[in-house]
Amino acid sequence: GCIVLLWIVVIISINPFGEFPINDDWAYSRNVYNLVLNKHFIPDPWPAMTLISQTIWGSLFVFVFGFSFTVLKCSTVILAMTGSLAIYQLFYKITAKESLAFLMVCILFFNVLFLPLTFSFMTDVFFLVFVLLSFVAAFNYLHTAGRRYYIQFICFCLIATLDRQFGFLTPLV
């Protein structure tokens, strides 16, 4: 509850939405535009990363709500919220202390890189969230030996790798 309230307060305070690109997300958004509106996956030559999974993620939102930078930013905000909940879950399972888990969420949330990039369509938040989700799945697998957690771990690692190539290192961590 507190994490969602924190997100609502910050979103209202910052009011980050508008029809303008931030940093390089103009190039990343072109992949989404081409996939949804032109029905072709044509990787823009500007980005150096694979950007496949994030293009698909953004395309799902654009397909439903139409193409705009605001829609793409909202897709990242939703992932950032998911990442906040994942880091809370991970640290709560490790420490069994709600206050420490919430502190870790705040450290991530108010990080000078994470917070501004949350309101863009840059790859940083997307990649980090899927790495965090893979860590949660790995932790759950190591403590329960449940096959579904192992499958989740593999899927989250693949999604991270299809966004940024060095995601393949996640299982080594």
Side-chain angles (χ1 to χ4, degrees):
C2 291
I3 296 171
V4 174
L5 181 61
L6 178 66
W7 272 102
I8 291 169
V9 168
V10 169
I11 289 170
I12 290 171
S13 300
I14 294 175
N15 188 19
F17 304 110
E19 281 311 300
F20 52 88
I22 299 173
N23 297 323
D24 293 338
D25 61 2
W26 60 271
Y28 308 153
S29 66
R30 280 203 287 202
N31 287 1
V32 173
Y33 183 87
N34 284 325
L35 184 59
V36 174
L37 300 175
N38 296 333
K39 310 291 188 245
H40 292 85
F41 180 70
I42 305 167
D44 191 280
W46 177 262
M49 69 287 302
T50 48
L51 202 61
I52 295 168
S53 53
Q54 185 169 344
T55 299
I56 293 168
W57 173 259
S59 296
L60 295 172
F61 284 81
V62 168
F63 182 75
V64 173
F65 300 107
F67 183 84
S68 74
F69 289 109
T70 300
V71 167
L72 293 174
K73 291 173 191 177
C74 286
S75 75
T76 306
V77 168
I78 288 169
L79 274 178
M81 289 179 186
T82 304
S84 297
L85 296 172
I87 203 163
Y88 178 85
Q89 182 182 25
L90 184 62
F91 278 94
Y92 181 73
K93 287 181 177 190
I94 292 170
T95 66
K97 296 181 180 177
E98 289 182 14
S99 59
L100 187 55
F102 186 73
L103 176 64
M104 298 313 291
V105 168
C106 290
I107 289 171
L108 170 70
F109 187 79
F110 292 110
N111 181 285
V112 296
L113 294 174
F114 186 82
L115 186 59
L117 290 172
T118 292
F119 303 108
S120 74
F121 192 63
M122 299 289 287
T123 60
D124 308 81
V125 171
F126 185 92
F127 178 78
L128 177 63
V129 168
F130 281 100
V131 169
L132 288 171
L133 289 171
S134 71
F135 288 166
V136 170
F139 183 88
N140 289 336
Y141 174 73
L142 292 172
H143 286 84
T144 66
R147 180 179 286 166
R148 70 182 173 129
Y149 295 121
Y150 186 71
I151 293 169
Q152 287 175 358
F153 172 73
I154 292 169
C155 290
F156 292 143
C157 289
L158 285 173
I159 292 169
T161 302
L162 289 173
D163 187 47
R164 290 177 163 221
Q165 296 92 326
F166 57 87
F168 80 93
L169 296 172
T170 304
L172 298 176
V173 174

mmCIF file of all heavy atoms in Angstrom, residues 93-124:
data_model
loop_
_atom_site.group_PDB
_atom_site.id
_atom_site.type_symbol
_atom_site.label_atom_id
_atom_site.label_comp_id
_atom_site.label_asym_id
_atom_site.label_seq_id
_atom_site.Cartn_x
_atom_site.Cartn_y
_atom_site.Cartn_z
ATOM 1 N N LYS A 93 11.728 -11.012 1.848
ATOM 2 C CA LYS A 93 12.005 -12.435 1.999
ATOM 3 C C LYS A 93 13.381 -12.680 2.610
ATOM 4 O O LYS A 93 13.573 -13.625 3.365
ATOM 5 C CB LYS A 93 11.893 -13.147 0.655
ATOM 6 C CG LYS A 93 10.469 -13.301 0.191
ATOM 7 C CD LYS A 93 10.384 -14.022 -1.128
ATOM 8 C CE LYS A 93 8.930 -14.210 -1.497
ATOM 9 N NZ LYS A 93 8.746 -15.093 -2.628
ATOM 10 N N ILE A 94 14.330 -11.833 2.293
ATOM 11 C CA ILE A 94 15.682 -11.998 2.825
ATOM 12 C C ILE A 94 15.759 -11.588 4.296
ATOM 13 O O ILE A 94 16.369 -12.279 5.113
ATOM 14 C CB ILE A 94 16.696 -11.186 1.988
ATOM 15 C CG1 ILE A 94 16.827 -11.797 0.591
ATOM 16 C CG2 ILE A 94 18.057 -11.124 2.672
ATOM 17 C CD1 ILE A 94 17.609 -10.934 -0.389
ATOM 18 N N THR A 95 15.127 -10.459 4.639
ATOM 19 C CA THR A 95 15.290 -9.910 5.986
ATOM 20 C C THR A 95 14.100 -10.124 6.913
ATOM 21 O O THR A 95 14.250 -10.015 8.130
ATOM 22 C CB THR A 95 15.540 -8.390 5.916
ATOM 23 O OG1 THR A 95 14.363 -7.739 5.402
ATOM 24 C CG2 THR A 95 16.747 -8.074 5.047
ATOM 25 N N ALA A 96 12.911 -10.355 6.362
ATOM 26 C CA ALA A 96 11.658 -10.455 7.131
ATOM 27 C C ALA A 96 11.339 -9.153 7.870
ATOM 28 O O ALA A 96 10.647 -9.158 8.885
ATOM 29 C CB ALA A 96 11.687 -11.636 8.092
ATOM 30 N N LYS A 97 11.855 -8.038 7.358
ATOM 31 C CA LYS A 97 11.593 -6.730 7.968
ATOM 32 C C LYS A 97 10.983 -5.801 6.925
ATOM 33 O O LYS A 97 11.623 -5.448 5.940
ATOM 34 C CB LYS A 97 12.885 -6.124 8.510
ATOM 35 C CG LYS A 97 13.490 -6.926 9.633
ATOM 36 C CD LYS A 97 14.736 -6.287 10.157
ATOM 37 C CE LYS A 97 15.312 -7.134 11.281
ATOM 38 N NZ LYS A 97 16.562 -6.603 11.783
ATOM 39 N N GLU A 98 9.734 -5.415 7.174
ATOM 40 C CA GLU A 98 9.036 -4.538 6.237
ATOM 41 C C GLU A 98 9.740 -3.191 6.098
ATOM 42 O O GLU A 98 9.830 -2.650 5.001
ATOM 43 C CB GLU A 98 7.589 -4.317 6.688
ATOM 44 C CG GLU A 98 6.717 -5.517 6.521
ATOM 45 C CD GLU A 98 5.282 -5.251 6.931
ATOM 46 O OE1 GLU A 98 4.901 -4.068 7.090
ATOM 47 O OE2 GLU A 98 4.529 -6.226 7.082
ATOM 48 N N SER A 99 10.227 -2.651 7.208
ATOM 49 C CA SER A 99 10.854 -1.327 7.168
ATOM 50 C C SER A 99 12.126 -1.350 6.329
ATOM 51 O O SER A 99 12.386 -0.420 5.552
ATOM 52 C CB SER A 99 11.161 -0.821 8.573
ATOM 53 O OG SER A 99 12.029 -1.722 9.245
ATOM 54 N N LEU A 100 12.913 -2.386 6.431
ATOM 55 C CA LEU A 100 14.135 -2.494 5.638
ATOM 56 C C LEU A 100 13.813 -2.711 4.160
ATOM 57 O O LEU A 100 14.456 -2.116 3.289
ATOM 58 C CB LEU A 100 15.019 -3.628 6.156
ATOM 59 C CG LEU A 100 16.399 -3.743 5.525
ATOM 60 C CD1 LEU A 100 17.175 -2.434 5.638
ATOM 61 C CD2 LEU A 100 17.171 -4.877 6.160
ATOM 62 N N ALA A 101 12.810 -3.515 3.893
ATOM 63 C CA ALA A 101 12.397 -3.742 2.503
ATOM 64 C C ALA A 101 11.883 -2.440 1.888
ATOM 65 O O ALA A 101 12.207 -2.112 0.735
ATOM 66 C CB ALA A 101 11.324 -4.824 2.438
ATOM 67 N N PHE A 102 11.114 -1.669 2.646
ATOM 68 C CA PHE A 102 10.617 -0.386 2.145
ATOM 69 C C PHE A 102 11.768 0.599 1.940
ATOM 70 O O PHE A 102 11.762 1.368 0.974
ATOM 71 C CB PHE A 102 9.566 0.197 3.093
ATOM 72 C CG PHE A 102 8.928 1.443 2.562
ATOM 73 C CD1 PHE A 102 8.013 1.381 1.522
ATOM 74 C CD2 PHE A 102 9.242 2.687 3.093
ATOM 75 C CE1 PHE A 102 7.420 2.525 1.014
ATOM 76 C CE2 PHE A 102 8.657 3.838 2.593
ATOM 77 C CZ PHE A 102 7.741 3.758 1.554
ATOM 78 N N LEU A 103 12.745 0.590 2.831
ATOM 79 C CA LEU A 103 13.931 1.439 2.667
ATOM 80 C C LEU A 103 14.646 1.106 1.361
ATOM 81 O O LEU A 103 15.082 2.001 0.634
ATOM 82 C CB LEU A 103 14.876 1.279 3.854
ATOM 83 C CG LEU A 103 16.201 2.037 3.756
ATOM 84 C CD1 LEU A 103 15.968 3.548 3.736
ATOM 85 C CD2 LEU A 103 17.115 1.646 4.907
ATOM 86 N N MET A 104 14.760 -0.166 1.039
ATOM 87 C CA MET A 104 15.416 -0.572 -0.211
ATOM 88 C C MET A 104 14.623 -0.081 -1.418
ATOM 89 O O MET A 104 15.201 0.333 -2.431
ATOM 90 C CB MET A 104 15.601 -2.086 -0.261
ATOM 91 C CG MET A 104 16.498 -2.631 0.838
ATOM 92 S SD MET A 104 18.051 -1.739 1.079
ATOM 93 C CE MET A 104 18.911 -2.139 -0.393
ATOM 94 N N VAL A 105 13.299 -0.108 -1.319
ATOM 95 C CA VAL A 105 12.458 0.430 -2.392
ATOM 96 C C VAL A 105 12.746 1.919 -2.557
ATOM 97 O O VAL A 105 12.910 2.409 -3.680
ATOM 98 C CB VAL A 105 10.960 0.201 -2.109
ATOM 99 C CG1 VAL A 105 10.090 1.000 -3.061
ATOM 100 C CG2 VAL A 105 10.628 -1.281 -2.192
ATOM 101 N N CYS A 106 12.829 2.637 -1.465
ATOM 102 C CA CYS A 106 13.095 4.080 -1.529
ATOM 103 C C CYS A 106 14.477 4.368 -2.110
ATOM 104 O O CYS A 106 14.645 5.322 -2.879
ATOM 105 C CB CYS A 106 12.952 4.715 -0.145
ATOM 106 S SG CYS A 106 11.247 4.775 0.425
ATOM 107 N N ILE A 107 15.458 3.550 -1.756
ATOM 108 C CA ILE A 107 16.806 3.734 -2.304
ATOM 109 C C ILE A 107 16.789 3.555 -3.816
ATOM 110 O O ILE A 107 17.394 4.332 -4.551
ATOM 111 C CB ILE A 107 17.808 2.778 -1.623
ATOM 112 C CG1 ILE A 107 18.058 3.238 -0.193
ATOM 113 C CG2 ILE A 107 19.109 2.694 -2.408
ATOM 114 C CD1 ILE A 107 18.854 2.265 0.645
ATOM 115 N N LEU A 108 16.085 2.547 -4.281
ATOM 116 C CA LEU A 108 15.950 2.357 -5.730
ATOM 117 C C LEU A 108 15.138 3.483 -6.341
ATOM 118 O O LEU A 108 15.556 4.119 -7.311
ATOM 119 C CB LEU A 108 15.276 1.011 -6.043
ATOM 120 C CG LEU A 108 14.871 0.812 -7.506
ATOM 121 C CD1 LEU A 108 16.106 0.645 -8.383
ATOM 122 C CD2 LEU A 108 13.945 -0.379 -7.653
ATOM 123 N N PHE A 109 13.991 3.736 -5.766
ATOM 124 C CA PHE A 109 13.028 4.680 -6.321
ATOM 125 C C PHE A 109 13.596 6.088 -6.468
ATOM 126 O O PHE A 109 13.409 6.736 -7.492
ATOM 127 C CB PHE A 109 11.784 4.693 -5.417
ATOM 128 C CG PHE A 109 10.658 5.502 -5.961
ATOM 129 C CD1 PHE A 109 9.848 4.988 -6.956
ATOM 130 C CD2 PHE A 109 10.396 6.766 -5.474
ATOM 131 C CE1 PHE A 109 8.797 5.736 -7.455
ATOM 132 C CE2 PHE A 109 9.343 7.518 -5.977
ATOM 133 C CZ PHE A 109 8.544 6.994 -6.967
ATOM 134 N N PHE A 110 14.280 6.563 -5.443
ATOM 135 C CA PHE A 110 14.789 7.936 -5.475
ATOM 136 C C PHE A 110 16.228 8.024 -5.981
ATOM 137 O O PHE A 110 16.867 9.062 -5.855
ATOM 138 C CB PHE A 110 14.663 8.577 -4.092
ATOM 139 C CG PHE A 110 13.227 8.814 -3.704
ATOM 140 C CD1 PHE A 110 12.635 8.072 -2.697
ATOM 141 C CD2 PHE A 110 12.465 9.750 -4.376
ATOM 142 C CE1 PHE A 110 11.309 8.277 -2.349
ATOM 143 C CE2 PHE A 110 11.141 9.959 -4.043
ATOM 144 C CZ PHE A 110 10.554 9.218 -3.032
ATOM 145 N N ASN A 111 16.712 6.953 -6.571
ATOM 146 C CA ASN A 111 18.028 6.966 -7.183
ATOM 147 C C ASN A 111 18.038 7.989 -8.312
ATOM 148 O O ASN A 111 17.083 8.087 -9.084
ATOM 149 C CB ASN A 111 18.346 5.564 -7.715
ATOM 150 C CG ASN A 111 19.701 5.486 -8.352
ATOM 151 O OD1 ASN A 111 19.892 5.975 -9.462
ATOM 152 N ND2 ASN A 111 20.622 4.871 -7.665
ATOM 153 N N VAL A 112 19.136 8.731 -8.431
ATOM 154 C CA VAL A 112 19.205 9.822 -9.413
ATOM 155 C C VAL A 112 19.154 9.328 -10.860
ATOM 156 O O VAL A 112 18.903 10.123 -11.766
ATOM 157 C CB VAL A 112 20.459 10.705 -9.210
ATOM 158 C CG1 VAL A 112 20.407 11.404 -7.866
ATOM 159 C CG2 VAL A 112 21.726 9.892 -9.349
ATOM 160 N N LEU A 113 19.385 8.062 -11.089
ATOM 161 C CA LEU A 113 19.235 7.503 -12.433
ATOM 162 C C LEU A 113 17.856 6.876 -12.631
ATOM 163 O O LEU A 113 17.223 7.059 -13.668
ATOM 164 C CB LEU A 113 20.313 6.451 -12.709
ATOM 165 C CG LEU A 113 21.738 6.980 -12.775
ATOM 166 C CD1 LEU A 113 22.718 5.822 -12.907
ATOM 167 C CD2 LEU A 113 21.902 7.958 -13.910
ATOM 168 N N PHE A 114 17.407 6.118 -11.642
ATOM 169 C CA PHE A 114 16.159 5.372 -11.776
ATOM 170 C C PHE A 114 14.945 6.282 -11.910
ATOM 171 O O PHE A 114 14.125 6.087 -12.815
ATOM 172 C CB PHE A 114 15.988 4.420 -10.592
ATOM 173 C CG PHE A 114 14.799 3.509 -10.703
ATOM 174 C CD1 PHE A 114 14.874 2.360 -11.456
ATOM 175 C CD2 PHE A 114 13.615 3.809 -10.044
ATOM 176 C CE1 PHE A 114 13.781 1.506 -11.561
ATOM 177 C CE2 PHE A 114 12.525 2.967 -10.145
ATOM 178 C CZ PHE A 114 12.609 1.807 -10.903
ATOM 179 N N LEU A 115 14.801 7.251 -11.036
ATOM 180 C CA LEU A 115 13.597 8.082 -11.037
ATOM 181 C C LEU A 115 13.415 8.857 -12.345
ATOM 182 O O LEU A 115 12.346 8.778 -12.956
ATOM 183 C CB LEU A 115 13.573 9.024 -9.829
ATOM 184 C CG LEU A 115 12.286 9.828 -9.654
ATOM 185 C CD1 LEU A 115 11.083 8.912 -9.504
ATOM 186 C CD2 LEU A 115 12.403 10.750 -8.453
ATOM 187 N N PRO A 116 14.403 9.582 -12.831
ATOM 188 C CA PRO A 116 14.180 10.294 -14.103
ATOM 189 C C PRO A 116 13.954 9.346 -15.289
ATOM 190 O O PRO A 116 13.136 9.625 -16.152
ATOM 191 C CB PRO A 116 15.459 11.100 -14.313
ATOM 192 C CG PRO A 116 16.161 11.120 -13.018
ATOM 193 C CD PRO A 116 15.701 9.927 -12.253
ATOM 194 N N LEU A 117 14.662 8.220 -15.314
ATOM 195 C CA LEU A 117 14.513 7.292 -16.434
ATOM 196 C C LEU A 117 13.198 6.525 -16.386
ATOM 197 O O LEU A 117 12.767 5.967 -17.384
ATOM 198 C CB LEU A 117 15.701 6.330 -16.480
ATOM 199 C CG LEU A 117 17.019 6.985 -16.897
ATOM 200 C CD1 LEU A 117 18.175 6.010 -16.721
ATOM 201 C CD2 LEU A 117 16.951 7.508 -18.316
ATOM 202 N N THR A 118 12.550 6.516 -15.222
ATOM 203 C CA THR A 118 11.233 5.903 -15.103
ATOM 204 C C THR A 118 10.229 6.610 -16.007
ATOM 205 O O THR A 118 9.300 5.999 -16.513
ATOM 206 C CB THR A 118 10.754 5.967 -13.638
ATOM 207 O OG1 THR A 118 11.583 5.103 -12.873
ATOM 208 C CG2 THR A 118 9.321 5.544 -13.481
ATOM 209 N N PHE A 119 10.435 7.884 -16.229
ATOM 210 C CA PHE A 119 9.489 8.678 -17.012
ATOM 211 C C PHE A 119 9.994 8.896 -18.433
ATOM 212 O O PHE A 119 9.808 9.967 -19.024
ATOM 213 C CB PHE A 119 9.213 9.992 -16.293
ATOM 214 C CG PHE A 119 8.685 9.771 -14.906
ATOM 215 C CD1 PHE A 119 9.465 10.036 -13.798
ATOM 216 C CD2 PHE A 119 7.420 9.252 -14.706
ATOM 217 C CE1 PHE A 119 8.992 9.811 -12.512
ATOM 218 C CE2 PHE A 119 6.937 9.017 -13.434
ATOM 219 C CZ PHE A 119 7.717 9.301 -12.340
ATOM 220 N N SER A 120 10.615 7.863 -18.977
ATOM 221 C CA SER A 120 11.084 7.879 -20.358
ATOM 222 C C SER A 120 10.826 6.499 -20.947
ATOM 223 O O SER A 120 10.299 5.616 -20.272
ATOM 224 C CB SER A 120 12.582 8.205 -20.416
ATOM 225 O OG SER A 120 13.340 7.093 -19.991
ATOM 226 N N PHE A 121 11.225 6.300 -22.187
ATOM 227 C CA PHE A 121 11.150 4.979 -22.806
ATOM 228 C C PHE A 121 12.558 4.445 -23.041
ATOM 229 O O PHE A 121 12.820 3.701 -23.960
ATOM 230 C CB PHE A 121 10.347 5.039 -24.118
ATOM 231 C CG PHE A 121 9.973 3.688 -24.660
ATOM 232 C CD1 PHE A 121 9.144 2.845 -23.951
ATOM 233 C CD2 PHE A 121 10.453 3.272 -25.891
ATOM 234 C CE1 PHE A 121 8.805 1.590 -24.451
ATOM 235 C CE2 PHE A 121 10.118 2.017 -26.400
ATOM 236 C CZ PHE A 121 9.290 1.184 -25.675
ATOM 237 N N MET A 122 13.480 4.853 -22.180
ATOM 238 C CA MET A 122 14.846 4.367 -22.252
ATOM 239 C C MET A 122 14.885 2.909 -21.777
ATOM 240 O O MET A 122 13.976 2.447 -21.093
ATOM 241 C CB MET A 122 15.763 5.236 -21.392
ATOM 242 C CG MET A 122 15.812 6.696 -21.829
ATOM 243 S SD MET A 122 16.686 6.917 -23.361
ATOM 244 C CE MET A 122 18.352 6.662 -22.810
ATOM 245 N N THR A 123 15.955 2.199 -22.092
ATOM 246 C CA THR A 123 16.038 0.774 -21.787
ATOM 247 C C THR A 123 16.470 0.476 -20.353
ATOM 248 O O THR A 123 16.321 -0.655 -19.903
ATOM 249 C CB THR A 123 17.035 0.082 -22.737
ATOM 250 O OG1 THR A 123 18.325 0.673 -22.562
ATOM 251 C CG2 THR A 123 16.602 0.194 -24.174
ATOM 252 N N ASP A 124 16.970 1.434 -19.635
ATOM 253 C CA ASP A 124 17.557 1.194 -18.313
ATOM 254 C C ASP A 124 16.573 0.585 -17.320
ATOM 255 O O ASP A 124 16.880 -0.411 -16.661
ATOM 256 C CB ASP A 124 18.129 2.498 -17.743
ATOM 257 C CG ASP A 124 19.055 3.176 -18.720
ATOM 258 O OD1 ASP A 124 18.541 3.860 -19.627
ATOM 259 O OD2 ASP A 124 20.274 3.008 -18.605
#
